[in-house]
Amino acid sequence: MSNDSVNRRRFLGNVGACSLGLAAASGLHQVAGAAEPDPKIFGEQGVTSSKRPQGAWKPVSDRKIRVGIVGSGVCQFGSAFGFQDHPNVEIVAVSDLFPDRCASLSKACHCEKKYESLEELVKDPLIEAVFVATDAPSHARHCIDVLKHGKHVATAVPAAYGSLEDADRLFDAVKSSGLKYMMFETSAYHPACYAMRQIYQAGGFGKILYSEGEYFHYFREPIPSYRNWRIGIPPQWYPTHSAAYYVCVTGGSFTEVSCFATPSILREFRPENNQYKNSFATEIALLRTSEGGMSRMAVSWDSNEPGCETGRVRGERGSMWNGNYVGELKELPNLERPPIPPKVPLGHHEGSHGNLMHEFVTAILEDRQPLVGIGEALSMSVAGIVAHQSALKNGELLKIPQYQLPKT
């Protein structure tokens, strides 16, 4: 084994596998003079960022993409990914339903033009791409509206929220539009998940026989949310942070699922206290993958311990857990995340924010599909919707719809 391989294995061993932040839809971009985000929302370590890559960023174009930003909720999520700091972006307009939040978003994005709603913003002919950071139940509907107005779209997670019909409509809208769609799944650019993807693509795992992902985020008290959408939410309706540890490693999908759940002692998970009539705050799904392997994907809100987003893969030729690769690959590929423009902050969730935004912008500039496109986004989101259905049926094995665009 070369010294380079040994050093990279040590580097991986030092990669933090747990990102204690809440998932997308609760990120925060640190602007000048702004306070640190509340650890109750992100978790005690979710506000930290990783070290920047050592390589120098090289622009692929001098064109500026004209972007609209929609949504600035409890953590000012619309500005969290740094669109306003990217040299290939011009923010044309921002929007939020609440005037004070819209004003805050306008200031954070250095953009004076404001609209009262997404429905108004998408009519602006100057805008060519929109970032949707609205409430999770509206993601699919809002993205469809953006696409119908001829604009590329990126969205917070999940792609579809509790509705297979919304997933179908979103897929059809992306397929018929020919436009770029990307879901900003933060786990995709966690250092460990990124390294897994590089090793998988280099053949270091072979077929993945078993994978697992965990998204544990304890809520002592409910987080405020638009129309209380977070209160009593079924865990597997917000599954993408754990599911990414298969889908964002391999590009594959889940084909069927059996899921079990346990009732919670937390007050908001008494069925009479939430709009979902849901009692489950922990749901554990066992899924079959498109490779023929198995995955265990867990989501929990009531495990009284520090939060965690982490995963593991075991393949025919190698495995990786907690940042450590063991396998047949003698020389590891480059495991460092690609450089991003120097003024773009890495952001939270293990420094994934800036990487996700840069990937979306670069995909538009290069006219290619982005990393977490509609197939991956729906594979992660819909698997959770069906998993919750299985939990309600005491673990009945259920088929999962498949969504893949034709390969070009």
Side-chain angles (χ1 to χ4, degrees):
M1 183 184 300
S2 70
N3 289 334
D4 182 59
S5 293
V6 172
N7 289 336
R8 290 188 184 183
R9 282 171 170 78
R10 288 175 179 169
F11 164 76
L12 282 173
N14 291 328
V15 169
C18 290
S19 170
L20 306 189
L22 183 63
S26 57
L28 174 64
H29 174 55
Q30 187 75 18
V31 297
E36 280 291 330
D38 188 342
K40 289 185 296 184
I41 296 172
F42 279 99
E44 292 297 334
Q45 297 180 20
V47 298
T48 61
S49 297
S50 301
K51 293 182 179 179
R52 296 187 73 89
Q54 297 299 307
W57 169 71
K58 295 180 181 180
V60 299
S61 171
D62 59 2
R63 185 168 85 82
K64 286 184 177 290
I65 298 166
R66 301 183 301 278
V67 174
I69 307 288
V70 184
S72 185
V74 66
C75 287
Q76 303 93 54
F77 193 47
S79 58
F81 289 86
F83 280 96
Q84 63 273 16
D85 299 306
H86 199 289
N88 291 112
V89 171
E90 174 192 354
I91 297 185
V92 174
V94 301
S95 176
D96 192 279
L97 294 176
F98 298 91
D100 59 335
R101 293 179 176 182
C102 192
S104 175
L105 182 60
S106 172
K107 181 178 179 180
C109 291
H110 319 300
C111 173
E112 295 184 0
K113 185 186 285 189
K114 299 184 285 290
Y115 288 99
E116 294 182 352
S117 67
L118 176 142
E119 288 78 10
E120 291 300 316
L121 180 140
V122 294
K123 297 175 185 177
D124 191 324
L126 294 178
I127 295 174
E128 57 183 311
V130 176
F131 176 48
V132 172
T134 57
D135 58 295
S138 299
H139 286 172
R141 174 171 58 86
H142 284 163
C143 287
I144 291 169
D145 199 10
V146 172
L147 293 164
K148 285 182 176 179
H149 282 82
K151 306 176 193 306
H152 306 293
V153 65
T155 180
V157 305
Y161 183 80
S163 169
L164 296 178
E165 293 76 18
D166 279 354
D168 291 343
R169 285 189 285 267
L170 177 61
F171 180 75
D172 290 342
V174 174
K175 183 178 179 180
S176 62
S177 73
L179 295 163
K180 311 299 181 218
Y181 170 96
M182 181 173 171
M183 185 180 74
F184 280 12
E185 171 43 54
T186 54
S187 290
Y189 274 103
H190 284 181
C193 189
Y194 179 84
M196 290 176 183
R197 184 163 61 251
Q198 295 297 97
I199 293 171
Y200 178 83
Q201 292 175 353
F205 297 126
K207 173 185 174 180
I208 301 295
L209 303 173
Y210 175 74
S211 54
E212 62 184 35
E214 295 179 350
Y215 176 38
F216 292 164
H217 193 99
Y218 178 58
F219 298 131
R220 186 179 300 277
E221 297 178 356
I223 292 176
S225 52
Y226 180 65
R227 294 180 175 174
N228 290 328
W229 69 265
R230 288 191 184 277
I231 307 300
I233 173 179
Q236 289 288 348
W237 281 13
Y238 210 93
T240 62
H241 292 331
S242 52
Y245 277 91
Y246 177 74
V247 175
C248 290
V249 172
T250 68
S253 64
F254 303 112
T255 60
E256 52 188 345
V257 60
S258 172
C259 181
F260 287 90
T262 56
S264 176
I265 62 172
L266 297 180
R267 182 179 182 278
E268 64 269 26
F269 288 97
R270 297 172 190 164
E272 66 272 17
N273 292 336
N274 65 74
Q275 61 187 297
Y276 311 105
K277 308 302 179 187
N278 173 50
S279 65
F280 301 145
T282 296
E283 295 183 324
I284 312 297
L286 183 64
L287 306 108
R288 189 172 300 281
T289 71
S290 54
E291 289 180 286
M294 298 298 296
S295 289
R296 181 189 67 85
M297 299 297 170
V299 186
S300 177
W301 311 138
D302 60 352
S303 176
N304 192 356
E305 62 177 348
C308 186
E309 298 167 24
T310 187
R312 172 203 310 252
V313 294
R314 299 188 68 86
E316 294 173 320
R317 299 187 60 203
S319 63
M320 187 169 171
W321 166 247
N322 213 17
N324 296 301
Y325 170 74
V326 178
E328 299 177 11
L329 201 63
K330 299 187 186 308
E331 295 294 330
L332 294 177
N334 183 8
L335 303 179
E336 185 176 69
R337 293 176 296 184
I340 60 177
K343 292 185 179 181
V344 173
L346 290 178
H348 304 304
H349 293 98
E350 297 195 28
S352 65
H353 288 187
N355 287 278
L356 287 161
M357 180 274 300
H358 178 61
E359 166 65 12
F360 177 62
V361 169
T362 306
I364 295 174
L365 293 173
E366 296 180 336
D367 191 22
R368 60 171 174 80
Q369 289 301 312
L371 175 64
V372 191
I374 188 63
E376 294 84 2
L378 287 178
S379 179
M380 288 184 274
S381 303
V382 168
I385 297 172
V386 180
H388 181 61
Q389 293 175 351
S390 172
L392 292 173
K393 298 178 179 180
N394 198 31
E396 181 180 336
L397 184 64
L398 300 176
K399 297 290 186 181
I400 300 172
Q402 301 295 294
Y403 302 90
Q404 294 295 330
L405 293 175
K407 295 186 180 298
T408 57

